Amino acid sequence: MNPVNYLYLAALLFTIGAAGVLIRRNAIVVFMCIELMLNACNLTFVAFSRMHGNLDGQIIAFFTMVVAAAEVVVGLAIIVLLFRSRHSASVDDASLMKL
Amino acid sequence: MTNSENLIALLVAAPLLGAVVLLCGGRRLDRSGHWIGTLFAAASFVVGAVLFVDMLGKGADERAMHQSLYDWIPVEGFQADVAFQLDQLSMTFVLLITGVGSLIHVYSIGYMEHDERRRRFFGYLNLFLAAMLLLVLADNYLLLYVGWEGVGLASYLLIGFWQHKPSAATAAKKAFLVNRVGDMGLSIAIMLMFTTFGTFTFGPVLEATGETSEGTLTAIGLLLLLAACGKSAQVPLQSWLGDAMEGPTPVSALIHAATMVTAGVYLITRSGAIFNAAPDAQLAVAVVGAVTLIFGAIVGCAKDDIKKALAGSTMSQIGYMILAAGLGPIGYAFAIMHLVTHGFFKAGLFLGAGSVMHGMNDEVDMRKYGGLRKYMPITFVTFGLGYLAIIGFPGLSGFFSKDKIIEAAFAKGGTEGWILGCTALLGAAITAYYMTRVMLLTFFGEKRWQPAPDPDKAPSVEPGIEVHPGEMPHPHESPKSMTIPMVVLAFGSVFAGGLFSLNDSFVNWLKPVTEFEHGHPPISATVITSATVVALVIGLGIAYVQYGRRPVPTLAPRGSLLTRAARRDLLQDDFNHVVLVRGGEHLTRSLVYVDHTLVDGVVNGTAASFGGLSGRLRKLQNGYARTYAVSMFGGTAVLIAATLLMRAV
Amino acid sequence: MSFPLLTVTAALPAIGAIATAAVPAAGRTAAKWLALLFSLGTLVLAAVVLVRFEPGGDRYQLTESHAWIKDFGVRYELGVDGIGVALLALTALLIPFVILAGWHDADPSPASAGDTPVETKKYRWRPTQGFFALILAVEAMVILSFEATDVFLFYILFEAMLIPMYFLIGGFGDRAHAGSDENASAQRSYAAVKFLLYNLVGGLIMLAAVIGLYVVAGSFSLNEIAEARAAGTLDMATNTERLLFLGFFFAFAVKAPLWPLHTWLPNAMGEATAPVAVLITAVVDKVGTFAMLRYCLQLFPEASKWATPVILVLALISIVYGALLAVGQRDIKRLVAYASISHFGFIILGIFAMTSQGQSGATLYMVNHGISTAALMLVAGFLISRRGSRLIADYGGVQKVAPVLAGTFLIGGLATLSLPGLAPFVSEFLVLVGTFARYPVAGIIATFGIVLAALYTLVLYQRTMTGPVKAEVRGMPDLKVRELAVVAPLIALLLFLGVFPKPLTDIVNPAVEHTMSDVQKKDPKPEVEAAK
């Protein structure tokens, strides 16, 4: 199968993720969209790895997974704390970080 | 190389050591300070006398001595030595300075007896002697400049000795500042010498005058003249001398009559070779002298304050000297001769004035004296002899020296000679007038004494002397320590001139240093001498009619326009006040404003505009995570687009 | 390897700073003595440097060189020439006096100690220790900046010394303040921030130039750049050189300070305590003029010559403008600050006149100005601490009450107006002669400065010291032993260097010759010789 098709899929996934981050207000959904974007990137790395015939892309994909896992841990914890204090998971409610 | 050369430094070192001891010694020297000061001054005089005797024993051309101590400022291409040169000209000054200086130290012992800060007074006097000796002994212009400023400092300290009086403090500051303007001339002159000759040692500079352009020499000459004007109180920098009379009277006698104010004459005479090669500058010197001799005389006529009248007279007499020095080789020797005789009689007159004030509760207004000859006989006689000397009474010192200057002025030749000569003659007449006025007001006529003023209202009363308000003065003769110096100076006033003129001894003595040419006036010397005597009689007569025959009012009448102007120093101070003081104040005030609003304002404005900009920019930070995300995506999109675009191109 | 004398000289005050800062809150007096001891130790080391330095020897002596940041070619390179030695000695000499003069400046004030005793204990607030530690820290950095021969190392020190200075100005203000406490503290922090911002901006521009220099020359080492220049392998386009020169010069002109970048100085000196004011003008600012002489002229000789006319004009403006503003001041310390601006004008004039006399004079001027301003400012500080006011109008007749104080104040003032016989005269005259030899008009204009100097000094003296004794001044004590111990040696030094400046000129002259050969300038010949 043509590896370019994987790239198209990755681009599609990335776009969906980006749109989700921008449009949705629920923190969990935003979070999931970010994961979607990360995985779209992973897909690209792997596809390119395959295309160029070396393993660099796959190694970086592993890196990304580790980082994503760490991010999930921290991110979910923040969201849970946010929900506890505000009884809402809307990202627009947390807008105090401004000058 | 003889041993006596090594003594030169001692001349300066002795009074300097005295000053250090007295000023750092603290209160434990309060009781003996005046003796220490006098001792060091006298020691310097003794050294001077020894050197003089030594010098007399040599041939005329071998008399100059030189002592080099060390290299002062060793910098590439720059030679400034601490080295002394003692020739006939310097020797004359050394004897005058240490001699009169020692006498005035003695006088001050009595005069300052009641002052609690007498020790410091003697310290300052010693400091002055050291600086003045340095000035006349230096072998280069830079070292001379050190002495030049040193005497300025001593003068500043002594004029302002009674610092609690605002008028004294102001007068001291004024003297220093006006002198600084002159000093500026001297320092630029030294710089010009350095760039022209590569050195500022007297010998090489004066020998090399033939090798450079007349323009440069004229510039140097005029700058030196500016310096001389400042130090010697010549027009246009004369305004400080009258105010300087705020200082104690011995100071006025020593510094502002006999020695320091004549430094300008020394400078011009010493730099004779430069002026000889620059006739324009030389003429300027003569003109300044002539203008000042009239200016000072007019001021002297109008003053009622005895010391200020004498100050006007000093100005005028130094005008004579400067005039003579501006005549070139025909005048240098006479300038110095008049300087020495003037040193005697003017110091004597000032000491006499001090003695009068001492007896009159420090009253200085001559209109409140009168008839003092019976009460103060010694003062009267010595003052009288000084008076006769200064007006040029035939046979006394002033006659010989002044007459020679008038002759030389005529001998200048041409229209200039006539103008200068006639000015000098006119000056002689005015001198006779104002000095007779001083004499008559002080010692003759009826008593016009006034009760002592309330010291609170008249802060001019010198401290330490107990004055009870309302008490009438009890004039009395001053103590011996004061009268003896007056007697000695009176002897000088009477005999010095005759002695110097005997076989032209003084001229011959100075000839190797200053050069000398016999001037040939267009009219015979006898005629000039007779004219001088006639001028003297006229001036004396007018004064007698005005002040001897009629009663003198205690309060000064309003007087003519000229009198009123002369009382205010011919409006020089008013001019200075309006133009320099006011103008300067406005300038500094507006500059302070500019510095605060403009220079600082630009910076503060920049800071404020950055503050405003950041205030606007921070509105972009609204706290919504999505907005930040949009800007991130937008930024990335722009970057990618730009990259692609670049690649496409 | 030989003993790293220069490093030790700079390290000793740094160690002293740490040691002083570590003294517990109760040991205030011990901290003072410790600081004084360390500063005296540094003075001894500086004296050793002075002795070991051979005036006729190599250009840079007592050199040390170690790799530091290899990737950027930054080295820890030290070495001193005559100019550096002279200023190093000046710094080491002045700091003990600064410490001694500021003995009580950082004591907790009785009022605030009474108000908040609990708080003081809780936070273990130790202002005294901090004050003296900061002074020693400044000393360490200034000394090292005089020793550095690596541009990057110098840059770091040039910037780093701002930090302790900022705290010294902002944290320990003058207690004699006209306004309320809040007002005083607001003005103080304004002055401190202004000081910091001005110098930071200068430093940033210099940083750009430092990087630029590395790009062009491939090295930060003065020696290597000089070798490359001598071998002709240094390829620096005219415009590049000019830009780099401007970058360096701007920073130094801010620090020196040169008109119109001077306005931070009066604020800083006015608000800081007198010893800190001395630290600013007599020590830290000297780094600016020193760097002009060492870095601007040596690294960018052609550009220096190109910029000379403009710099001379600015220096002349500084001289006259500073003096005129000094005349118009009502605050004693601001007056001294403006007088210093005028004097820095003289120093810069001497440096850029490009004659041996001018540059020797400028170097001597840095040393002499340090001593004379220290004398004047410290006595002014003693005066101010007695009456609690900085305004000239609040004084009058002090001479009658405290003659020794007045006498020393007068001598300090006379040194400021360059009276012959005192050290500043020698340097000022050299600068004037050196300038006049090449630019007569500039020399004449600068000479006006001496009249104005007399004006502001004597007006200051007259208004504060003479006249009738004011009621508030009555009973004012004369100088104490500690205060006399500060002033007397400074005055003795002023007299000594005024009468016999040879020891100083001997050290400085060879260095100046090197600089003159850097810029390839020769002294103008006297007219008479030139004609022959």
Side-chain angles (χ1 to χ4, degrees):
Chain A
M1 195 171 143
N2 189 356
V4 178
N5 289 338
Y6 291 102
L7 293 183
Y8 288 137
L9 178 62
L12 193 65
L13 286 173
F14 190 88
T15 315
I16 293 169
V21 168
L22 295 184
I23 294 166
R24 298 302 298 266
R25 290 188 186 178
N26 190 320
I28 305 278
V29 178
V30 171
F31 199 68
M32 278 159 62
C33 289
I34 291 173
E35 290 300 313
L36 204 57
M37 284 155 74
L38 281 171
N39 282 313
C41 292
N42 275 346
L43 189 56
T44 325
F45 277 125
V46 176
F48 277 126
S49 174
R50 174 82 179 164
M51 280 161 77
H52 295 299
N54 68 19
L55 289 176
D56 291 0
Q58 299 194 22
I59 291 167
I60 293 181
F62 276 111
F63 261 113
T64 318
M65 280 180 214
V66 175
V67 171
E71 188 203 328
V72 169
V73 173
V74 179
L76 275 179
I78 292 174
I79 292 172
V80 169
L81 280 174
L82 202 66
F83 187 77
R84 270 194 200 156
S85 65
R86 297 188 177 256
H87 301 287
S88 136
S90 166
V91 284
D92 282 4
D93 284 350
S95 66
L96 289 175
M97 289 282 279
K98 64 182 172 192
L99 286 164
Chain B
M1 191 72 189
T2 51
N3 290 331
S4 54
E5 285 179 351
N6 298 331
L7 288 176
I8 301 176
L10 209 59
L11 282 171
V12 182
L16 191 65
L17 184 66
V20 171
V21 167
L22 289 174
L23 293 178
C24 300
R27 291 183 191 280
R28 71 194 84 109
L29 290 181
D30 270 353
R31 299 183 62 189
S32 57
H34 46 286
W35 292 115
I36 298 175
T38 314
L39 194 73
F40 278 109
S44 191
F45 176 67
V46 170
V47 175
V50 167
L51 285 167
F52 178 61
V53 172
D54 183 66
M55 196 181 259
L56 280 182
K58 295 186 209 165
D61 292 333
E62 297 158 5
R63 283 177 175 165
M65 289 187 255
H66 194 269
Q67 183 187 15
S68 195
L69 287 186
Y70 61 93
D71 193 356
W72 182 25
I73 309 179
V75 165
E76 179 72 23
F78 188 88
Q79 175 148 23
D81 289 342
V82 176
F84 300 121
Q85 169 185 315
L86 184 67
D87 56 12
Q88 288 90 330
L89 181 61
S90 303
M91 193 71 232
T92 311
F93 272 90
V94 166
L95 290 178
L96 177 73
I97 295 161
T98 54
V100 175
S102 303
L103 286 176
I104 284 172
H105 272 77
V106 174
Y107 178 88
S108 307
I109 294 175
Y111 190 83
M112 301 298 284
E113 197 176 357
H114 304 287
D115 199 301
E116 54 178 355
R117 291 159 70 234
R118 180 163 64 165
R119 167 181 61 85
R120 198 179 306 183
F121 181 80
F122 277 85
Y124 292 161
L125 276 188
N126 272 354
L127 180 67
F128 168 74
L129 283 187
M132 189 72 203
L133 287 167
L134 185 65
L135 195 164
V136 297
L137 286 172
D139 92 324
N140 60 66
Y141 281 97
L142 193 64
L143 196 61
L144 177 143
Y145 185 68
V146 175
W148 190 267
E149 290 252 312
V151 292
L153 169 69
S155 159
Y156 168 80
L157 292 169
L158 286 164
I159 295 172
F161 186 71
W162 289 315
Q163 289 184 322
H164 58 94
K165 288 198 302 187
S167 57
T170 310
K173 182 190 70 186
K174 182 175 174 186
F176 198 94
L177 281 178
V178 176
N179 268 301
R180 266 263 152 154
V181 176
D183 296 349
M184 207 175 92
L186 184 53
S187 74
I188 297 177
I190 297 176
M191 291 180 225
L192 197 54
M193 283 176 203
F194 179 71
T195 52
T196 314
F197 305 111
T199 174
F200 30 70
T201 310
F202 289 144
V205 168
L206 299 176
E207 277 161 25
T209 45
E211 295 167 39
T212 184
S213 68
E214 196 187 312
T216 314
L217 289 175
T218 308
I220 295 178
L222 291 176
L223 289 164
L224 291 176
L225 175 62
L226 178 67
C229 283
K231 196 62 67 187
S232 294
Q234 299 293 295
V235 176
L237 297 177
Q238 86 294 356
S239 66
W240 62 272
L241 188 62
D243 295 335
M245 296 301 129
E246 288 287 343
T249 308
V251 173
S252 313
L254 178 60
I255 301 184
H256 305 117
T259 54
M260 185 191 85
V261 284
T262 58
V265 184
Y266 172 78
L267 182 68
I268 290 173
T269 312
R270 177 59 81 195
S271 319
I274 293 175
F275 286 96
N276 292 345
D280 292 342
Q282 200 161 41
L283 184 64
V285 173
V287 169
V288 164
V291 169
T292 311
L293 88 86
I294 297 294
F295 187 106
I298 292 175
V299 170
C301 293
K303 293 284 184 188
D304 289 330
D305 179 327
I306 185 169
K307 283 178 72 181
K308 290 200 171 162
L310 288 177
S313 150
T314 304
M315 230 183 261
S316 166
Q317 297 302 314
I318 297 171
Y320 271 108
M321 300 170 208
I322 297 275
L323 168 64
L327 297 172
I330 54 172
Y332 292 134
F334 299 131
I336 302 298
M337 184 161 139
H338 192 54
L339 190 155
V340 175
T341 56
H342 175 257
F344 286 124
F345 56 68
K346 186 50 72 60
L349 287 171
F350 264 111
L351 294 190
S355 173
V356 169
M357 287 158 59
H358 202 67
M360 293 292 287
N361 290 348
D362 284 305
E363 179 60 66
V364 289
D365 190 346
M366 292 187 289
R367 291 182 182 275
K368 295 171 186 164
Y369 292 164
L372 287 174
R373 65 181 186 282
K374 288 177 214 148
Y375 300 90
M376 313 175 96
I378 303 179
T379 307
F380 169 62
V381 172
T382 53
F383 194 92
L385 289 173
Y387 154 73
L388 290 177
I390 193 176
I391 62 172
F393 195 80
L396 273 69
S397 287
F399 169 76
F400 291 104
S401 50
K402 199 188 288 179
D403 189 50
K404 288 274 173 26
I405 293 178
I406 297 173
E407 246 174 66
F410 278 110
K412 169 95 176 159
T415 333
E416 297 155 25
W418 280 100
I419 295 174
L420 293 174
C422 292
T423 316
L425 263 184
L426 179 65
I430 309 180
T431 307
Y433 171 78
Y434 66 73
M435 282 313 299
T436 310
R437 175 173 174 267
V438 170
M439 198 67 194
L440 291 175
L441 285 178
T442 308
F443 292 102
F444 293 89
E446 11 177 304
K447 302 178 204 170
R448 299 179 300 274
W449 308 343
Q450 300 287 314
D454 191 351
D456 293 336
K457 283 180 193 153
S460 73
V461 173
E462 297 178 6
I465 300 170
E466 285 179 32
V467 176
H468 305 291
E471 190 188 0
M472 286 300 277
H474 305 287
H476 53 85
E477 192 50 90
S478 300
K480 284 228 170 55
S481 65
M482 289 167 68
T483 50
I484 290 174
M486 284 153 59
V487 171
V488 175
L489 287 172
F491 269 98
S493 322
V494 175
F495 299 112
L499 210 64
F500 292 163
S501 299
L502 214 62
N503 300 328
D504 281 343
S505 57
F506 194 79
V507 172
N508 289 333
W509 158 254
L510 278 184
K511 214 169 169 180
V513 186
T514 60
E515 304 176 52
F516 180 74
E517 285 170 20
H518 268 291
H520 300 288
I523 38 178
S524 81
T526 334
V527 176
I528 296 176
T529 309
S530 329
T532 317
V533 175
V534 170
L536 162 83
V537 172
I538 293 173
L540 203 150
I542 297 175
Y544 179 69
V545 171
Q546 280 193 342
Y547 295 97
R549 307 267 307 264
R550 300 180 208 153
V552 180
T554 336
L555 277 177
R558 192 150 177 274
S560 67
L561 202 64
L562 182 65
T563 317
R564 271 179 281 148
R567 277 192 199 129
R568 311 186 63 163
D569 298 321
L570 292 178
L571 304 181
Q572 165 86 17
D573 276 339
D574 303 72
F575 174 81
N576 284 353
H577 188 75
V578 171
V579 176
L580 296 176
V581 179
R582 285 276 176 77
E585 273 173 8
H586 282 296
L587 181 66
T588 52
R589 250 183 240 152
S590 46
L591 273 181
V592 169
Y593 180 77
V594 164
D595 197 52
H596 196 264
T597 48
L598 214 70
V599 182
D600 218 12
V602 169
V603 177
N604 285 344
T606 317
S609 61
F610 271 112
L613 187 67
S614 64
R616 288 212 189 107
L617 280 177
R618 78 175 190 191
K619 292 204 175 122
L620 293 177
Q621 304 274 339
N622 58 9
Y624 292 114
R626 281 178 299 130
T627 324
Y628 302 156
V630 169
S631 65
M632 254 171 75
F633 279 112
T636 320
V638 169
L639 274 180
I640 291 170
T643 320
L644 290 177
L645 216 62
M646 291 299 285
R647 197 175 281 178
V649 173
Chain C
M1 215 189 100
S2 60
F3 181 72
L5 184 59
L6 292 183
T7 304
V8 173
T9 312
L12 190 69
I15 296 167
I18 296 167
T20 310
V23 174
R28 268 216 320 272
T29 318
K32 292 174 186 175
W33 282 106
L34 197 66
L36 185 64
L37 217 63
F38 269 100
S39 68
L40 287 174
T42 314
L43 181 58
V44 171
L45 283 177
V48 175
V49 172
L50 208 57
V51 172
R52 292 269 303 274
F53 183 81
E54 290 164 27
D58 294 340
R59 175 162 193 177
Y60 295 112
Q61 299 184 18
L62 305 169
T63 49
E64 293 168 36
S65 181
H66 305 282
W68 184 21
I69 309 175
K70 276 199 182 123
D71 291 345
F72 303 121
V74 177
R75 298 181 67 82
Y76 176 79
E77 271 193 350
L78 302 184
V80 281
D81 60 356
I83 302 168
V85 161
L87 290 171
L88 188 152
L90 170 75
T91 308
L93 179 84
L94 285 182
I95 299 294
F97 294 119
V98 166
I99 289 177
L100 208 55
W103 206 246
H104 297 301
D105 280 3
D107 289 352
S109 60
S112 69
D115 290 344
T116 53
V118 186
E119 215 174 345
T120 316
K121 254 184 195 160
K122 193 171 159 195
Y123 290 105
R124 300 174 56 76
W125 174 228
R126 296 172 298 167
T128 315
Q129 283 82 338
F131 183 72
F132 291 103
L134 287 170
I135 291 178
L136 286 175
V138 172
E139 180 182 19
M141 287 191 253
V142 170
I143 286 182
L144 202 57
S145 71
F146 288 139
E147 293 169 347
T149 53
D150 183 284
V151 179
F152 195 80
L153 179 62
F154 174 79
Y155 169 75
I156 289 181
L157 295 161
F158 187 79
E159 290 288 71
M161 70 180 76
L162 298 179
I163 301 165
M165 282 315 299
Y166 169 78
F167 287 111
L168 280 173
I169 298 169
F172 303 92
D174 198 330
R175 287 192 190 140
H177 206 285
S180 62
D181 277 356
E182 282 164 41
N183 192 5
S185 115
Q187 294 224 358
R188 195 152 63 226
S189 50
Y190 171 73
V193 169
K194 198 169 179 182
F195 162 81
L196 192 68
L197 282 182
Y198 261 85
N199 283 289
L200 273 183
V201 169
L204 272 181
I205 293 174
M206 182 181 163
L207 177 63
V210 167
I211 295 169
L213 178 72
Y214 182 68
V215 172
V216 176
S219 167
F220 285 121
S221 162
L222 274 184
N223 290 322
E224 281 176 28
I225 296 175
E227 275 167 28
R229 189 183 293 281
T233 53
L234 185 70
D235 183 27
M236 209 186 274
T238 314
N239 278 333
T240 319
E241 188 185 333
R242 288 178 184 175
L243 279 176
L244 292 179
F245 168 82
L246 288 180
F248 275 80
F249 184 79
F250 184 80
F252 303 150
V254 169
K255 187 151 286 193
L258 182 66
W259 188 90
L261 305 168
H262 64 276
T263 51
W264 64 268
L265 187 71
N267 284 81
M269 279 178 76
E271 296 305 324
T273 62
V276 174
V278 170
L279 204 61
I280 298 170
T281 184
V283 177
V284 173
D285 285 355
K286 293 295 178 310
V287 181
T289 45
F290 162 79
M292 284 182 199
L293 203 48
R294 173 171 285 179
Y295 295 94
C296 285
L297 294 194
Q298 197 176 334
L299 292 173
F300 317 107
E302 292 307 318
S304 301
K305 281 187 266 186
W306 163 75
T308 296
V310 177
I311 295 172
L312 287 185
V313 169
L314 291 179
L316 286 177
I317 294 178
S318 278
I319 293 172
V320 176
Y321 185 90
L324 281 174
L325 273 142
V327 176
Q329 293 305 311
R330 286 177 296 179
D331 176 325
I332 299 175
K333 285 161 81 186
R334 288 179 69 94
L335 189 150
V336 180
Y338 277 107
S340 283
I341 291 169
S342 178
H343 288 141
F344 279 112
F346 273 106
I347 298 177
I348 295 170
L349 190 70
I351 293 174
F352 283 90
M354 311 263 184
T355 52
S356 310
Q357 300 92 38
Q359 295 190 342
S360 291
T363 311
L364 291 189
Y365 212 126
M366 292 184 219
V367 176
N368 295 339
H369 171 258
I371 304 172
S372 69
T373 308
L376 182 64
M377 193 69 184
L378 292 177
V379 180
F382 300 148
L383 180 70
I384 289 167
S385 69
R386 281 165 166 68
R387 166 78 172 79
S389 166
R390 297 180 349 219
L391 294 181
I392 296 171
D394 284 349
Y395 295 89
V398 175
Q399 189 272 338
K400 188 101 178 158
V401 189
V404 179
L405 192 154
T408 49
F409 192 69
L410 182 63
I411 296 177
L414 291 174
T416 306
L417 65 78
S418 301
L419 190 85
L422 296 170
F425 169 73
V426 175
S427 41
E428 189 162 303
F429 197 80
L430 280 174
V431 167
L432 286 174
V433 161
T435 310
F436 189 87
R438 212 182 280 283
Y439 308 98
V441 178
I444 292 171
I445 295 174
T447 314
F448 278 97
I450 69 170
V451 178
L452 292 171
L455 184 61
Y456 60 69
T457 314
L458 295 184
V459 168
L460 173 66
Y461 183 79
Q462 186 195 351
R463 296 209 179 133
T464 51
M465 298 297 170
T466 69
V469 183
K470 286 211 172 176
E472 297 89 344
V473 170
R474 203 158 285 159
M476 185 182 272
D478 212 335
L479 286 189
K480 299 187 187 81
V481 176
R482 169 180 65 86
E483 294 167 330
L484 206 59
V486 172
V487 183
L490 291 176
I491 288 177
L493 209 61
L494 281 175
L495 279 168
F496 176 75
L497 289 178
V499 177
F500 192 63
K502 195 168 183 299
L504 198 55
T505 50
D506 280 353
I507 294 175
V508 169
N509 284 341
V512 166
E513 274 167 48
H514 279 298
T515 316
M516 287 288 289
S517 69
D518 283 340
V519 291
Q520 293 168 339
K521 279 266 191 183
K522 287 226 162 55
D523 289 331
K525 278 253 184 293
E527 208 178 287
V528 172
E529 266 179 56
K532 273 179 192 167

